[in-house]
Amino acid sequence: MSMNQEQIMALDNSLVWHPYSSIGSGLPIFPVESAQGVRIRLVDGRELLDGMSSWWCAIHGYNHPQMNRAIEEQLGRMSHIMFGGLTHQPAVELAAKLVELTPVPLQTVFFADSGSVSVEVAMKMALQYWHAKKHPEKQKFLTIRNGYHGDTFGAMSVCDPINGMHSIFSGVLPQQLFVDAPACGFNTACSDGDIAPFAQRLAENHKQVAAVILEPIVQGAGGMRFYSAEYLKRVRELCDKHDVLLILDEIATGFGRTGKMFACEHADISPDIMCVGKALTGGYMTLAATLTTREISETISSGDPGLFMHGPTFMANPLACSAGLASLHLLTDSPWHTRVSKIEINLHQGLVPCRELKTVADVRVLGAIGVVEMAEPVDMKTVQPAFIEAGVWVRPFGRLIYLMPPYIMNDKDLHTLTAAVRDVISNIR
Ligand SMILES: *Cc1c(COP(=O)(O)O)cnc(C)c1O
């Protein structure tokens, strides 16, 4: 059975939820036929240059022969096997590769099935660590506003309270501690005044705080804000001083996106617990991981109850681990650093002219991330089709029009992509 565009759209509109959507909204939606390299092909035959990497994930582009081969080979062996009492090469090989790539202190790996779950796991690790250390009073998490850590309840509790719609769920969400997001931007110094609110909150509450949780350097879905590496460095120092763990959520920033393999490298620090996801499988399969130190793993393992209390059904799915392994090999065998630098230059040249427009509040670029912040929220009803008309796939949210192209995008395509963004933005009144 083959459906035409109208049939797909009608069924979609009446029975399928999309991310942060309503049923029957009638908002424009576009059926995809296939994707290849940096191009997405719609069912109606139009081709779009991909500016989103499917939300940070598809760093090598789509339908990559090496990625396909890795999954096909694994498919011939087994697509899934339970991880309780059994193990397999794709999982242990990927764990070893992750330990090799991430900062030195991170030495053990918990595989989760999505970014949100890896954040839940990170938060549980922190709580179980303090429980094992006979500090069960350490139950709270401290974070900065404008963060985004996922959509499950634990993760949601440390998302920005306003963006994260905490009011709807206030009866069930654990109450966490928040301070304002740093005002010191990337490549700027962090003054005593900038860190003071965080320092004070931690000093006052450290006895109750299990961990600080942050997105390092780039706050993603909570506002696409970039902040000072020095701020992050000082957060690390304060966590050490007050005996509080530091969880870094590298789900969006990991694997080269900011110009470093991991964003924490900008500050030359390492966390006690790190979450990775998104680009981990090059956008092929859902997979995430939570890494931690040997000290934390051993403390949890030897303390009461002697087990880490989490175990997803699809933990370390072999197809996903094979995709992860293939993706990380592709990445480390590629000149990713040069590619990301070239994207940074192109995004800068292509987007900075938008600053001239009255409708634009700010333009910022870091690594392979380009953000145009508008003064007003964009009207998705008109803007989304305008991007399609211009031949690009860009998915704004709120006041933010942002690009994070696959690392393989060449100069010519980057030029086309940013020109289309400038065009569409200049027509917004
Ligand atoms: C996307 C994201 C998550 C959640 O990951 P899912 O796979 O969508 O559950 C968590 N933290 C950050 C920083 C993210 O960008």
Side-chain angles (χ1 to χ4, degrees):
M1 184 185 87
S2 171
M3 287 193 240
N4 66 29
Q5 173 138 347
E6 284 64 41
Q7 291 168 319
I8 297 172
M9 277 162 56
L11 277 182
D12 186 283
N13 188 52
S14 71
L15 41 93
V16 187
W17 292 101
H18 285 262
Y20 290 90
S21 75
S22 57
I23 289 285
S25 74
L27 275 175
I29 194 145
F30 305 90
V32 177
E33 190 257 329
S34 60
Q36 173 73 46
V38 298
R39 287 180 167 73
I40 299 168
R41 192 182 169 84
L42 299 182
V43 168
D44 67 11
R46 284 184 290 183
E47 270 197 351
L48 309 175
L49 258 180
D50 177 31
M52 303 302 293
S53 298
S54 286
W55 280 332
W56 314 90
C57 297
I59 55 177
H60 312 298
Y62 302 90
N63 207 9
H64 194 290
Q66 259 168 276
M67 293 291 304
N68 291 4
R69 199 174 324 121
I71 292 186
E72 281 158 13
E73 283 174 14
Q74 183 55 43
L75 191 60
R77 289 187 286 269
M78 63 185 164
S79 58
H80 184 62
I81 193 78
M82 64 185 280
F83 211 51
L86 298 171
T87 193
H88 46 82
Q89 184 172 332
V92 294
E93 212 180 327
L94 179 58
K97 184 78 176 163
L98 282 172
V99 166
E100 175 199 318
L101 286 180
T102 52
V104 174
L106 302 171
Q107 291 289 327
T108 65
V109 181
F110 186 103
F111 286 114
D113 30 23
S114 73
S116 302
V117 172
S118 77
V119 170
E120 300 289 327
V121 164
M123 294 173 80
K124 273 183 162 180
M125 277 183 180
L127 295 174
Q128 275 205 239
Y129 173 76
W130 291 116
H131 179 82
K133 298 265 278 188
K134 307 263 185 300
H135 281 292
E137 73 285 0
K138 283 168 104 57
Q139 295 269 329
K140 294 276 178 207
F141 293 87
L142 170 62
T143 186
I144 56 179
R145 289 179 192 272
N146 295 94
Y148 178 75
H149 298 284
D151 292 346
T152 51
F153 277 92
M156 220 177 7
S157 77
V158 286
C159 288
D160 184 87
I162 295 162
N163 295 337
M165 300 282 168
H166 281 203
S167 56
I168 306 174
F169 307 108
S170 59
V172 272
L173 275 187
Q175 295 280 309
Q176 313 293 12
L177 301 164
F178 291 88
V179 294
D180 283 343
C184 41
F186 188 75
N187 261 338
T188 68
C190 163
S191 68
D192 291 343
D194 289 321
I195 194 74
F198 179 90
Q200 189 182 347
R201 202 95 166 106
L202 189 59
E204 286 166 2
N205 296 282
H206 67 94
K207 290 208 174 77
Q208 280 74 50
V209 174
V212 166
I213 178 166
L214 301 174
E215 295 158 277
I217 307 298
V218 175
Q219 294 187 290
M224 299 298 288
R225 297 163 51 99
F226 309 154
Y227 65 87
S228 165
E230 226 182 281
Y231 183 92
L232 185 58
K233 211 177 169 67
R234 294 180 78 163
V235 165
R236 172 74 274 185
E237 287 163 9
L238 288 164
C239 288
D240 289 341
K241 176 177 165 192
H242 292 295
D243 220 4
V244 162
L245 300 178
L246 177 60
I247 301 171
L248 290 184
D249 177 348
E250 291 258 13
I251 292 167
T253 49
F255 308 111
R257 181 58 68 178
T258 69
K260 301 275 188 190
M261 185 56 85
F262 295 98
C264 63
E265 294 170 23
H266 288 286
D268 213 8
I269 60 145
S270 70
D272 303 295
I273 302 174
M274 182 193 273
C275 300
V276 294
K278 290 204 161 106
L280 173 57
T281 65
Y284 264 67
M285 307 277 297
T286 176
L287 183 70
T290 310
L291 288 98
T292 191
T293 63
R294 204 151 285 287
E295 199 250 326
I296 292 174
S297 307
E298 280 171 4
T299 304
I300 291 170
S301 305
S302 59
D304 167 57
L307 307 166
F308 180 61
M309 301 301 282
H310 209 95
T313 304
F314 282 92
M315 188 169 186
N317 172 259
L319 281 180
C321 288
S322 301
L325 205 48
S327 175
L328 296 189
H329 280 298
L330 265 178
L331 181 67
T332 51
D333 291 347
S334 75
W336 64 269
H337 197 259
T338 313
R339 286 177 177 168
V340 170
S341 304
K342 278 178 72 178
I343 295 174
E344 181 166 33
I345 293 166
N346 272 291
L347 291 178
H348 201 266
Q349 282 172 350
L351 296 180
V352 162
C354 296
R355 282 196 188 133
E356 306 296 315
L357 299 165
K358 275 205 312 285
T359 49
V360 170
D362 189 31
V363 176
R364 43 189 184 266
V365 174
L366 175 63
I369 311 167
V371 184
V372 179
E373 184 172 334
M374 306 297 289
E376 302 288 336
V378 302
D379 175 16
M380 293 294 274
K381 262 205 185 68
T382 54
V383 167
Q384 191 72 87
F387 278 121
I388 303 282
E389 224 27 66
V392 299
W393 178 242
V394 177
R395 176 80 178 159
F397 74 88
R399 298 191 295 121
L400 301 167
I401 294 169
Y402 61 105
L403 300 176
M404 41 215 191
Y407 299 170
I408 58 163
M409 192 174 284
N410 65 28
D411 289 351
K412 183 165 167 285
D413 286 341
L414 284 164
H415 197 265
T416 309
L417 180 63
T418 52
V421 169
R422 287 199 307 274
D423 249 26
V424 169
I425 290 180
S426 64
N427 285 321
I428 296 177
R429 299 282 162 239

